[in-house]
Amino acid sequence: MTKSQHADGPQGSGPTRLKVAARLRRTGAAVQGLMVELRSPVRPEPVPGVAPRPRPGLIRVASYNIHKCVGIDRRFDPARTAAVIAELGADLVAVQEADRRFGRRVGLMDAKALERETGLAPLPVSDLADGHGWHGNAILVRPGTPARIRRLALPGAEPRGALVAELDLPGGRLRVVAAHLGLLRRCRARQAAAILRALAEQPEDEAPLPTLLLGDLNEWRPGARSSLRVFEPFFGPLAHAPASFPTRLPVLALDRILGWPRGVVSDVAVHDSALARIASDHLPLTAAVRLGAQDGVVSEAA
């Protein structure tokens, strides 16, 4: 055994180790540079937190993953979450991560403050008196809104669920699906199929209702690789969605608002206010919805 072999192991491994070490240093430098960009992104100033005036015949809806009321500053602040929801000026909001995930799944929002600031309250979907949602999914509506609610347990590697609510609103009836899909692509595809099966269970003597799907669908892949293509037989081809995650530098369109029939949903946009940027790791998504719309009656705007 030569001196170099004794120091570096088998012959030739010394130069190889130097190359690997240099590559690791370059990779580390690249990752560090990317993290600097994410912490200090160049991006426009946030829009004012004022909702647009509603147009006749339309309601405003939103979807918001509130990250258990914990902001990117790591502060648990339900009042701040309520303030962002108030900024949306929405008539209906689908909320994800509204409850504690482990242990006793109590609600994390301040329901009284929420109703006082927004005029909205969670539909009663939890088994707990102090719970807000089902697998973290909550639907906020005007108090007293008549609703027929169904809870779906979704298949997958982790516990996930969805809510299906048929609402009697002043402008007409509306079916709303609120969901938070899984992190694995194969699970999202199965969960999407389960939601479609639930939507297909429509009594023959009832007219089909305009339907919304709102939530954090956890899909960032576009085109043929997207697990959301499973939804296309019902909702049609999925349009490009605005990026809502992460709030520091939104590059992924994880949050979605889909509608049936075509044209029932329009003006889908991210709510990018100064407060929304720190209140969660997701920005809220908003849209306009035409109530009472049926296929062939609504415009092709969506």
Side-chain angles (χ1 to χ4, degrees):
M1 181 178 291
T2 67
K3 183 177 180 180
S4 62
Q5 287 175 322
H6 179 78
D8 296 323
Q11 187 172 5
S13 63
T16 301
R17 287 184 178 181
L18 290 175
K19 290 180 181 179
V20 171
R23 183 176 298 175
L24 289 174
R25 283 195 297 271
R26 290 195 299 271
T27 301
V31 171
Q32 186 175 12
L34 178 59
M35 293 304 295
V36 169
E37 290 183 16
L38 290 176
R39 291 192 182 104
S40 305
V42 177
R43 101 191 240 206
E45 286 302 308
V47 298
V50 178
R53 294 172 63 89
R55 287 177 285 171
L58 298 179
I59 66 167
R60 186 171 171 84
V61 303
S63 179
Y64 189 21
N65 184 330
I66 65 172
H67 198 232
K68 303 179 185 67
C69 298
V70 176
I72 61 171
D73 57 1
R74 300 184 181 180
R75 284 176 48 214
F76 174 70
D77 193 344
R80 182 171 58 186
T81 300
V84 174
I85 295 174
E87 288 182 351
L88 304 177
D91 304 285
L92 180 153
V93 182
V95 176
Q96 300 87 55
E97 300 192 13
D99 301 309
R100 185 178 297 166
R101 182 161 178 77
F102 301 105
R104 192 171 183 274
R105 303 203 64 172
V106 298
L108 297 170
M109 298 181 290
D110 184 335
K112 291 183 179 179
L114 187 68
E115 184 173 346
R116 183 173 61 251
E117 293 195 33
T118 69
L120 304 175
L123 286 174
V125 300
S126 176
D127 292 327
L128 304 177
D130 52 359
H132 292 149
W134 166 249
H135 286 282
N137 295 293
I139 300 177
L140 309 181
V141 296
R142 306 293 176 194
T145 298
R148 185 168 64 180
I149 305 164
R150 180 181 177 186
R151 305 188 306 187
L152 302 179
L154 299 180
E158 54 183 325
R160 295 280 176 172
L163 294 172
V164 182
E166 296 181 5
L167 307 174
D168 292 324
L169 301 173
R173 299 185 67 206
L174 181 68
R175 181 168 58 175
V176 175
V177 183
H180 188 182
L181 301 189
L183 298 175
L184 301 177
R185 184 183 183 279
R186 66 178 184 275
C187 294
R188 289 194 298 274
R190 293 174 60 199
Q191 290 159 3
I195 290 172
L196 287 185
R197 286 195 297 271
L199 294 180
E201 296 173 1
Q202 177 80 30
E204 294 183 1
D205 57 344
E206 292 186 10
L209 294 178
T211 301
L212 303 182
L213 171 62
L214 308 96
D216 176 2
L217 304 188
N218 262 324
E219 179 58 85
W220 57 92
R221 298 177 181 86
R225 298 182 62 201
S226 172
S227 59
L228 303 187
R229 294 195 67 187
V230 178
F231 286 123
E232 291 187 352
F234 185 81
F235 291 104
L238 302 187
H240 173 76
S244 57
F245 179 88
T247 53
R248 288 187 183 275
L249 183 62
V251 293
L252 301 178
L254 300 188
D255 303 279
R256 293 291 186 122
I257 299 178
L258 308 179
W260 178 92
R262 181 173 172 82
V264 70
V265 171
S266 62
D267 303 328
V268 178
V270 163
H271 177 79
D272 186 4
S273 72
L275 195 60
R277 285 188 178 188
I278 62 172
S280 172
D281 58 349
H282 286 247
L283 292 172
L285 206 62
T286 64
V289 172
R290 186 179 301 279
L291 289 179
Q294 294 295 332
D295 199 12
V297 177
V298 296
S299 70
E300 297 290 317

